[in-house]
Amino acid sequence: MNPVDALTRIAFLLERDRASAYRAQAFRTAAEVIASMPAAEVRRKAATPGGLESLPGLGPKTAAVVREALSGQVPSYLARLETGEEPTGGPMPPVEGGEELRAALRGDCHLHSDWSDGGTPIEDMARTAIALGHEWAALTDHSPRLTVARGLSAERLREQLKVVAALNKRLAPFRLLTGIECDILADGSLDQNPELLDQLDVVVASVHSKLRMDRGEMTQRLVAAVTSPLVDILGHCTGRLLTGRGRPESEFDADMVFAACAAYDTAVEINSRPERLDPPRRLLREAVAAGVYFSIDSDAHAPGQLDWQIYGCARAAQCGVPAGRIINTWSAEQLLHWTRTREAP
């Protein structure tokens, strides 16, 4: 087994199963070190006692993976992760159904890179999306007001657009769409230059501040955002968190917000992050009844998290979300036509 593939797969599984970012990054760093070396030098180091451990970025665990892979074995650490014998980051949500919807998805409308609060370069996120079978994915790093997440100023976002354009030339036919997760400010306005938002392929709008706002004010805030012609998707609409100390749902008039989404053809996100699973099932069923479009997204901040879409697919299947109303079952061309015209394929 190729040592780089083994180390990368271990990092992916750790990220997918919510192990600490430090733990996963140790294997990604080791993979980068080994990938940068001639194969003969890697074998020479592996045959020398302590040779691999002397390399910066490698320790006993990562060195053991390299040696076992070079010997033709599936590394024992990787095997334990694949079978679930190795503890990772805690229990994951159960998956009940959703496989058909997952197979129908052609992309992911919400993911982050190390340009904001993700931990991984853009290209690595894109290549993992390709490996998972995606035809496209939308890069949606945060907007500037979310300083804790290193939100992108207009200048940094423009620079990112150039990076994405260059990357798409190398990764074709896969396409990385330009985008943003734009903060919905307290008055319902959007946290980025409107002219720049209009240039992007996909705009996800989400609330990240003042989540305990009065119900009526929060309703007005969300309606103002979803009726903007610049907004394509309403992200994690209740803002709830299910793990750790948790966070309750924001209160708003769901009938009014989902009616506005339906009227203006703004998709409601089914956020697949295990700590969010947003919206809750009762609101997801209300959104189905309102006739909105949906986007089943990973909200990934690391490559392994791109595999989380199955959790959203399972909830969508349980709540009767029609596959024809899910925008990431469309091709990139169909999606871009919809974001510009709101004409569905």
Side-chain angles (χ1 to χ4, degrees), residues 2 51 56 59 84 114 135 141 145 155 166 169-170 174 222 226 237 272 292 340:
N2 183 295
D114 60 0
E135 298 173 12
D141 280 320
R145 292 282 185 97
E155 181 180 2
K169 292 179 181 178
R170 300 201 302 274
F174 175 84
L222 293 178
V226 303
C237 63
S272 303
V292 305
R340 292 301 178 193

Side-chain angles (χ1 to χ4, degrees), residues 259-276:
C261 288
Y264 285 80
D265 287 331
T266 299
V268 172
E269 179 180 69
I270 302 175
N271 190 290
S272 303
R273 289 191 69 85
E275 72 270 27
R276 288 192 182 276

Side-chain angles (χ1 to χ4, degrees), residues 296-344:
I296 302 177
D297 299 326
S298 67
D299 192 359
H301 289 64
Q305 296 175 8
L306 287 163
D307 211 20
W308 282 349
Q309 279 180 306
I310 186 60
Y311 299 117
C313 290
R315 294 168 68 81
Q318 293 159 13
C319 295
V321 175
R325 304 294 292 180
I326 300 171
I327 65 174
N328 37 349
T329 63
W330 303 341
S331 69
E333 292 74 18
Q334 290 170 328
L335 178 67
L336 293 176
H337 181 74
W338 177 80
T339 61
R340 292 301 178 193
T341 67
R342 289 302 190 265
E343 294 176 1

Side-chain angles (χ1 to χ4, degrees), residues 34-272:
I34 297 301
S36 70
M37 296 172 60
E41 177 66 8
V42 173
R43 289 190 174 276
R44 188 184 71 79
K45 289 282 188 182
T48 304
L52 289 173
E53 290 84 350
S54 70
L55 295 171
L58 268 79
K61 282 189 177 181
T62 51
V65 169
V66 174
R67 289 193 178 95
E68 290 176 33
L70 288 173
S71 71
Q73 305 174 51
V74 174
S76 57
Y77 188 75
L78 174 56
R80 293 196 303 273
L81 285 172
E82 295 280 17
T83 59
E85 297 173 36
E86 180 70 27
T88 51
M92 299 294 286
V95 177
E96 300 174 2
E99 291 83 3
E100 288 187 16
L101 280 182
R102 176 61 188 87
L105 298 187
R106 300 168 80 169
D108 190 334
C109 289
H110 186 172
L111 59 94
H112 298 272
S113 75
D114 60 0
W115 281 59
S116 65
D117 63 340
T120 307
I122 296 171
E123 182 166 353
D124 291 351
M125 295 296 288
R127 290 192 180 279
T128 302
I130 294 170
L132 289 172
H134 287 324
E135 298 173 12
W136 55 266
L139 177 61
T140 54
D141 280 320
H142 287 285
S143 60
R145 292 282 185 97
L146 203 61
T147 54
V148 69
R150 297 179 60 243
L152 272 61
S153 65
E155 181 180 2
R156 290 183 66 216
L157 181 54
R158 290 190 183 95
E159 186 62 29
Q160 187 181 82
L161 299 185
K162 298 175 186 177
V163 171
V164 171
L167 185 59
N168 276 329
K169 292 179 181 178
R170 300 201 302 274
L171 298 182
F174 175 84
R175 182 166 179 179
L176 188 62
L177 305 181
T178 61
I180 193 169
E181 184 180 12
C182 191
D183 261 28
I184 301 172
L185 303 180
D187 63 355
S189 61
L190 303 175
D191 178 34
Q192 190 49 276
N193 181 300
E195 290 76 20
L196 187 51
L197 289 177
D198 193 46
Q199 295 177 36
L200 302 177
D201 295 327
V202 176
V203 174
V204 179
S206 307
V207 171
H208 291 103
S209 62
K210 298 184 179 179
L211 282 87
R212 307 312 302 147
M213 181 180 280
D214 171 81
R215 173 186 171 90
E217 292 178 340
M218 182 63 81
T219 301
Q220 293 177 13
R221 182 181 185 181
L222 293 178
V223 168
V226 303
T227 58
S228 167
L230 297 172
V231 172
D232 302 308
I233 301 166
L234 173 61
H236 49 72
C237 63
T238 77
R240 73 174 185 175
L241 292 177
L242 301 173
T243 59
R245 296 175 61 184
R247 184 168 63 209
E249 301 168 22
S250 295
E251 297 183 6
F252 56 88
D253 185 327
D255 287 342
M256 186 175 294
V257 172
F258 294 152
C261 288
Y264 285 80
D265 287 331
T266 299
V268 172
E269 179 180 69
I270 302 175
N271 190 290
S272 303

